[in-house]
């Protein structure tokens, strides 16, 4: 049984109450490890350690380029252990191994990218009047808190922690209770990099306990939360009590808009990949297909045959689709599929998939559903499974209306060979990212990522994320 302790003030710790939580392999639901069930007391210790580190002369003396070296050292360790980390991610989340490898690569890239940025965080000089020198400095905000979801743990921790440390903050991470393994390994990398005590802290535990204690903590200076809308609302309320700013990276119901004049082979590939990645358990999953009425029949035939060729199995066999995380996620998806049976037309999949040697695991057959009204819950709500719902449109206006017709606005794919049309559509789409003739641009460490509407606010990734972790101070000097 693998025991993955918390890391607070450069010490490995169980929880103050001595309790643990089992960690399960989704491939067959076997228990393979445990984490401390962190409590308020543990979170208090972690925040205090981060505060002490932030205020310390020792941390102030670490030069920006030295913070960059540190982040690059973490990247080096990630690359050195790429295969092992990918296996850990596969065992924890269930995702196919090659997707685990891609996540680990992205994690290394985040540390390298922000490692390079650490000594390039610039202020401005602002013209006021003769005899006054006015300038701005970007200072670290202080102690930053990071609450992460279970579906892409190593990527999501890396993207915000690297940006926060690059800018001179100290951090407290609350890992996801279901998928804590790579967070623990990252903490070991920080430990081996001889970091000053308290700069990086990791607490584990349930959301309502450790998570809520962190989001409502009066001594944090910023909260980055990635997860579901209801939890996002809860953490925003608790942070508001302390006037702590939040960055919210929430869910999505992202569309692929397929126009008659697209390259159909490429569009089919893009549509299929965007929904089956991580078994559809992805915030930016392309879970709605909006297709031009004139090509709907032929395009759907291609999509359905691609779905029927997909293979489902445990992540370590590296097939197309791995297991669903847990029984409760599985039951949620099955309830949606029952609704689809009643109200729509299932063109592929539609239920549980059985994988012989992994009877304990929960697998869902990749599913395509047609014939629903766009007001239907399956058109509007995040299903978080390999389930694609299909709608047709007549012309650009209707395509845009449908694309924007959910509470979410995270990502949109547009497939057309007409560049003017692509620009017109991109202009009117209400989502944080728009991809033309691709979906995701290979992950895009450098591209700002975040939501419109209930998909959240604030941006992670790229230089844009630095705004989350720095406060602008204006200094005006009168010298005449
Ligand atoms: P979740 O909201 O249930 O949990 C996310 C994290 O919040 C976990 O660490 C959990 O322990 C913690 N938490 C739960 N209740 C809490 C509370 N009351 N106070 C403080 N913390 C609490 O989400 P999940 O099921 O882990 O993840 C899936 C969701 O995350 C989906 O909606 C998905 O779209 C979204 N997501 C968004 C992005 C993005 O970048 N926009 C990326 C990945 C996942």
């Amino acid at each position: 049984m693998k025991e993955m302790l918390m890391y607070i003030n450069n010490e490995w710790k169980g929880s103050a109450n001595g309790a643990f939580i089992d960690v399960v392999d989704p491939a067959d639901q076997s228990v393979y490890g445990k984490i401390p069930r962190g409590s308020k007391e543990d979170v208090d210790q972690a925040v205090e350690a981060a505060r002490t580190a932030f205020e310390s002369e020792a941390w102030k003396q670490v030069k920006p380029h030295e913070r960059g070296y540190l982040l690059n050292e973490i990247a080096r360790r990630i690359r050195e252990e790429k295969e092992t980390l990918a296996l850990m991610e596969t065992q924890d989340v269930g995702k196919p191994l090659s997707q685990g490898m891609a996540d680990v690569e992205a994690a290394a890239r985040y540390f390298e990218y922000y490692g390079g940025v650490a000594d390039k965080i610039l202020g401005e000089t602002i013209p006021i009047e003769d005899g006054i020198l006015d300038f701005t400095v970007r200072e670290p905000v202080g102690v930053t808190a990071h609450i992460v979801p279970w579906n892409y743990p190593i990527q999501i921790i890396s993207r915000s922690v690297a940006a926060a440390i690059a800018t001179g903050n100290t951090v407290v991470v609350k890992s996801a209770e279901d998928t804590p393994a790579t967070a623990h390994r990252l903490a070991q990398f920080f430990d081996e990099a001889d970091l000053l005590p308290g700069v990086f802290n990791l607490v584990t535990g349930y959301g309502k306990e450790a998570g809520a204690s962190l989001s409502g903590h009066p001594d944090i200076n910023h909260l980055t939360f990635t997860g579901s809308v209801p939890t996002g609302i809860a953490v925003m309320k608790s942070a508001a009590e302390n006037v702590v700013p939040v960055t919210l990276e929430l869910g999505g119901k992202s569309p692929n808009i397929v126009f008659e004049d697209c390259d159909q082979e490429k569009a089919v590939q893009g549509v299929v990949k965007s929904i089956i990645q991580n078994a559809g358990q992805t915030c930016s999953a392309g879970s709605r297909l909006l297709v031009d009425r004139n090509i709907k029949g032929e395009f759907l035939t291609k999509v359905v045959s691609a779905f029927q060729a997909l293979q489902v199995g445990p992540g370590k066999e590296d097939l197309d689709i791995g297991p669903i995380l847990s029984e409760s996620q599985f039951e949620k998806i099955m309830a949606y599929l029952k609704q689809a049976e009643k109200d729509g037309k299932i063109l592929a999949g539609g239920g549980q998939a059985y994988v012989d040697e992994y009877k304990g695991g929960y697998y869902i057959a990749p599913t395509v559903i047609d014939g629903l009204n766009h007001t239907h819950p399956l058109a509007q709500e995040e299903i978080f499974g390999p389930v694609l719902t299909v709608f047709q449109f007549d012309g650009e206006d209707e395509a845009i209306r449908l694309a924007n017709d959910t509470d979410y606005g995270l990502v949109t794919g547009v497939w057309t060979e007409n560049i003017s049309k692509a620009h017109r559509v991109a202009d009117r789409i209400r989502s944080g990212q728009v991809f033309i003739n691709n979906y995701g641009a290979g992950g895009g460490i450098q591209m700002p990522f975040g939501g419109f509407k209930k998909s959240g606010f604030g941006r992670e990734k790229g230089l844009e994320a630095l705004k989350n972790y720095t406060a602008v101070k204006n200094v005006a000097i009168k010298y005449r």
Side-chain angles (χ1 to χ4, degrees):
M1 183 80 116
K2 187 173 171 185
E3 193 176 90
M4 295 168 273
L5 294 179
M6 299 192 280
Y7 186 65
I8 300 174
N9 210 21
N10 286 19
E11 282 174 24
W12 297 100
K13 292 199 165 170
S15 63
N17 57 28
F20 281 90
I21 301 170
D22 284 344
V23 185
V24 161
D25 179 347
D28 56 6
Q29 294 293 319
S30 58
V31 174
Y32 81 86
K34 59 181 184 174
I35 50 166
R37 181 172 168 176
S39 61
K40 180 177 180 310
E41 213 176 317
D42 303 304
V43 170
D44 285 349
Q45 275 182 26
V47 174
E48 194 187 330
R51 172 61 55 199
T52 306
F54 182 70
E55 304 292 347
S56 72
E57 207 41 47
W59 182 236
K60 289 195 183 91
Q61 291 308 319
V62 176
K63 298 183 178 76
H65 70 272
E66 291 169 345
R67 296 198 299 266
Y69 294 161
L70 166 74
L71 297 174
N72 275 295
E73 170 60 13
I74 304 297
R76 191 187 66 74
R77 294 302 315 277
I78 292 173
R79 286 191 188 287
E80 203 171 66
E81 291 196 13
K82 199 167 168 182
E83 280 80 17
T84 318
L85 284 163
L87 270 168
M88 283 167 107
E89 205 74 330
T90 289
Q91 183 177 40
D92 235 12
V93 187
K95 59 183 65 186
L97 200 50
S98 50
Q99 293 177 28
M101 288 289 270
D103 289 1
V104 174
E105 170 65 21
R109 291 271 292 109
Y110 282 119
F111 280 102
E112 286 160 356
Y113 180 84
Y114 290 111
V117 162
D119 58 358
K120 298 166 194 74
I121 297 165
L122 309 176
E124 296 174 324
T125 54
I126 302 174
I128 305 288
E129 63 180 52
D130 188 35
I132 292 186
L133 171 64
D134 192 272
F135 63 91
T136 60
V137 277
R138 287 201 162 266
E139 297 185 347
V141 293
V143 175
T144 60
H146 308 250
I147 299 181
V148 295
W150 53 263
N151 58 347
Y152 286 80
I154 194 167
Q155 271 211 55
I156 291 174
I157 293 172
S158 302
R159 79 182 181 197
S160 70
V161 163
I165 293 182
T167 39
N169 300 281
T170 57
V171 309
V172 180
V173 175
K174 204 298 267 168
S175 59
E177 56 269 41
D178 292 302
T179 59
T182 48
H184 180 258
R185 192 73 192 116
L186 277 180
Q188 288 176 328
F189 292 164
F190 275 109
D191 189 51
E192 287 156 19
D194 265 343
L195 195 61
L196 289 170
V199 172
F200 175 90
N201 303 275
L202 171 68
V203 292
T204 57
Y206 290 122
K208 290 215 157 78
E209 298 172 358
S213 304
L214 185 56
S215 62
H217 202 289
D219 203 25
I220 59 171
N221 301 108
H222 184 271
L223 171 67
T224 299
F225 172 81
T226 312
S228 64
V229 173
T231 316
I233 293 170
V235 298
M236 187 168 158
K237 282 184 182 161
S238 59
E241 291 292 329
N242 301 308
V243 199
V244 166
V246 294
T247 299
L248 295 184
E249 293 283 1
L250 308 179
K253 190 72 184 174
S254 298
N256 270 296
I257 308 174
V258 176
F259 285 100
E260 184 180 10
D261 56 13
C262 72
D263 177 328
Q264 287 200 27
E265 300 316 312
K266 286 189 186 144
V268 169
Q269 270 183 28
V271 165
V272 174
K273 190 160 175 246
S274 74
I275 180 62
I276 64 156
Q277 185 168 317
N278 201 21
Q281 304 168 112
T282 303
C283 54
S284 55
S287 52
R288 286 183 296 147
L289 166 61
L290 309 180
V291 58
D292 200 316
R293 178 193 295 274
N294 295 330
I295 55 161
K296 185 181 171 194
E298 55 173 315
F299 192 78
L300 257 191
T301 304
K302 290 176 189 164
V303 169
V304 168
S305 84
F307 264 61
Q308 283 163 344
L310 295 169
Q311 290 184 293
V312 181
K316 65 181 178 201
E317 287 185 17
D318 204 19
L319 304 171
D320 303 301
I321 298 181
I324 298 303
L325 178 84
S326 60
E327 184 179 4
S328 63
Q329 290 290 332
F330 172 79
E331 293 299 346
K332 201 178 121 194
I333 300 167
M334 289 300 282
Y336 278 118
L337 295 183
K338 284 212 174 70
Q339 276 185 286
E341 234 167 56
K342 194 159 63 70
D343 303 332
K345 200 168 151 201
I346 294 178
L347 304 181
Q352 185 164 8
Y354 296 93
V355 179
D356 278 352
E357 287 163 56
Y358 296 87
K359 290 208 167 57
Y362 298 102
Y363 297 84
I364 297 267
T367 298
V368 182
I369 302 164
D370 191 16
L372 296 170
N373 193 299
H374 204 261
T375 54
H376 194 279
L378 273 98
Q380 297 290 326
E381 295 170 14
E382 197 177 38
I383 299 172
F384 239 48
V387 180
L388 179 69
T389 49
V390 183
F391 306 90
Q392 68 183 28
F393 63 82
D394 261 325
E396 250 170 85
D397 284 345
E398 191 179 18
I400 292 162
R401 184 183 65 72
L402 288 176
N404 288 336
D405 179 32
T406 74
D407 284 344
Y408 294 106
L410 198 55
V411 171
T412 303
V414 181
W415 301 86
T416 174
E417 294 292 290
N418 179 332
I419 190 70
S420 302
K421 186 192 284 182
H423 279 292
R424 284 195 302 272
V425 174
D427 277 353
R428 293 168 64 195
I429 286 296
R430 305 266 301 148
S431 70
Q433 291 188 329
V434 180
F435 294 103
I436 316 285
N437 294 329
N438 78 97
Y439 197 94
I445 307 302
Q446 309 92 321
M447 297 181 302
F449 177 68
F452 280 47
K453 301 189 276 181
K454 286 191 180 156
S455 290
F457 54 81
R459 295 291 178 264
E460 293 282 1
K461 305 189 179 187
L463 297 178
E464 202 64 27
L466 301 174
K467 293 180 184 160
N468 300 329
Y469 306 109
T470 53
V472 174
K473 182 181 280 173
N474 188 89
V475 181
I477 305 170
K478 191 157 172 53
Y479 59 90
R480 218 190 288 283

